[in-house]
Amino acid sequence: MLGLLLIAAAAPPMFACDFEGPGPIASFDRAHRVDRFSIVHDPADAGNRALRVDVGAGDHYGGSLSVQTARRLPEEPRSLYFSYRLRMGEDWDPAQGGKLPGFGGTYGRAGWGGKPSNGRNGWSARGQFFTSRDGRVPVGSYVYHADMVEDGRTYGVSVPWDAALERGRWYTIEQQITLDTIGPEGGRGDARLRAWVDGALVFDRSDLHVRDTDDLRIERVWLNIYHGGKMPAPADMHLLIDDVVVRTERPGPQVPP
């Protein structure tokens, strides 16, 4: 059952998966480390099915799923909305920050894994979790942007949101990105990235420089779960994901389930 209430006039989503049907992982366009995935009935969510992602002690990977926009739209978009529901397990106690679902335009070239962006080779804006603080897990975005080489950076930039999540509780996470307008000298540094948690706006930046060419678009929605940085998980950890929805327009008022 989808955990979002959408207004009646909302257009059909580009992609939606609630993990209730047969073979839900196969509905995604790409999958990596599927051995870390399982479909479970969650008693904390009226027994609805969800995707469980495990990160083992001493490991980094929780796996990745991708929704490739070129397979579902006439062309890769410049702007996109993405929402999902998230519940961090009681064992989710990271020793270092790591990656959560977000957006990517890496094209197999740059924008992740120490492959820096230069505005023409690739970019990404994944979600991020941080180490626990006061019993909660702060979250944010992790951005590979067009100025990072000039700034002397090899890895992405952490951008905290005004949000910290309790373990064991379901949240609705929504993100939206609009890439730079391209001018005569490249990107105008007007890319906008926003995030909502349970319908409340927790992040809004409209001065990001992500690209310098229109050849870079939103290639995919990237459900990437990764512990680190360079530090592996200190113990077995897991989280649950449900109700993945990708849209070209924001559907309207949304409330937590």
Side-chain angles (χ1 to χ4, degrees), residues 14 67-73 76-77 80 218-220:
M14 185 191 93
V67 179
Q68 302 294 125
T69 60
R71 297 188 181 185
R72 300 170 184 275
L73 296 172
E76 293 176 341
L80 203 62
I218 303 170
E219 179 191 20
R220 58 176 163 163

Side-chain angles (χ1 to χ4, degrees), residues 7 12 20-22 24 36 43 67 91-92 111 115 122 141 144 150 176 180 189 194 196 198 206-207 230 237 241 256:
I7 60 175
E20 296 294 337
R36 311 306 298 169
V67 179
D91 56 5
W92 193 265
K115 300 176 177 64
S141 293
Y144 276 71
E150 182 178 333
Q176 183 264 338
D180 302 63
R194 293 187 289 174
W196 298 260
D198 284 349
S206 57
D207 59 351
K230 297 182 179 180
M237 302 162 52
I241 290 175

Side-chain angles (χ1 to χ4, degrees), residues 98-99 124-128 140-144 153 155-159 229:
K99 287 73 176 179
S124 65
R126 285 171 287 178
Q128 182 171 14
S141 293
Y142 185 67
V143 182
Y144 276 71
R153 301 190 67 95
Y155 292 92
V157 178
S158 298
V159 186

Side-chain angles (χ1 to χ4, degrees):
M1 179 180 68
L2 289 178
L4 303 180
L5 297 180
L6 309 180
I7 60 175
M14 185 191 93
F15 175 86
C17 180
D18 61 7
F19 300 98
E20 296 294 337
I25 292 175
S27 68
F28 290 83
D29 298 315
R30 294 181 183 175
H32 177 65
R33 289 296 304 265
V34 295
D35 59 303
R36 311 306 298 169
F37 300 147
S38 57
I39 306 299
V40 300
H41 291 273
D42 181 26
D45 191 30
N48 292 321
R49 299 208 312 173
L51 176 70
R52 174 173 170 141
V53 185
D54 285 278
V55 181
D59 198 359
H60 293 280
Y61 282 98
S64 288
L65 295 170
S66 292
V67 179
Q68 302 294 125
T69 60
R71 297 188 181 185
R72 300 170 184 275
L73 296 172
E75 62 179 6
E76 293 176 341
R78 178 181 166 230
S79 182
L80 203 62
Y81 291 82
F82 162 50
S83 64
Y84 70 104
R85 296 176 60 224
L86 172 69
R87 181 167 78 83
M88 296 175 175
E90 298 290 352
D91 56 5
W92 193 265
D93 191 14
Q96 189 179 28
K99 287 73 176 179
L100 288 171
F103 303 99
T106 61
Y107 299 95
R109 300 187 301 253
W112 89 103
K115 300 176 177 64
S117 304
N118 63 14
R120 296 184 175 276
N121 54 2
W123 66 277
S124 65
R126 285 171 287 178
Q128 182 171 14
F129 59 84
F130 300 90
T131 53
S132 303
R133 186 177 65 225
D134 298 327
R136 292 173 174 254
V137 181
V139 290
S141 293
Y142 185 67
V143 182
Y144 276 71
H145 61 85
D147 297 323
M148 59 185 301
V149 173
E150 182 178 333
D151 294 344
R153 301 190 67 95
T154 301
Y155 292 92
V157 178
S158 298
V159 186
W161 302 345
D162 185 19
L165 309 186
E166 298 177 18
R167 301 179 187 89
R169 174 184 163 186
W170 280 104
Y171 292 90
T172 297
I173 310 294
E174 184 185 7
Q175 298 167 80
Q176 183 264 338
I177 193 166
T178 300
L179 301 182
D180 302 63
T181 305
I182 302 300
E185 298 180 357
R188 292 183 173 170
D190 59 352
R192 187 177 191 184
L193 181 61
R194 293 187 289 174
W196 298 260
V197 175
D198 284 349
L201 184 68
V202 295
F203 183 77
D204 189 354
R205 282 276 301 272
S206 57
D207 59 351
L208 300 175
H209 183 195
V210 174
R211 65 175 187 160
D212 284 323
T213 171
D214 199 43
D215 291 338
L216 296 184
R217 295 286 188 106
I218 303 170
E219 179 191 20
R220 58 176 163 163
V221 168
W222 190 4
L223 280 73
N224 183 214
I225 308 298
Y226 186 93
H227 187 285
K230 297 182 179 180
M231 189 177 295
D236 292 344
M237 302 162 52
H238 82 282
L239 53 74
L240 299 180
I241 290 175
D242 202 358
D243 298 335
V244 175
V245 180
V246 183
R247 292 180 177 272
T248 56
E249 297 180 357
R250 194 167 190 232
Q254 305 191 29
V255 298

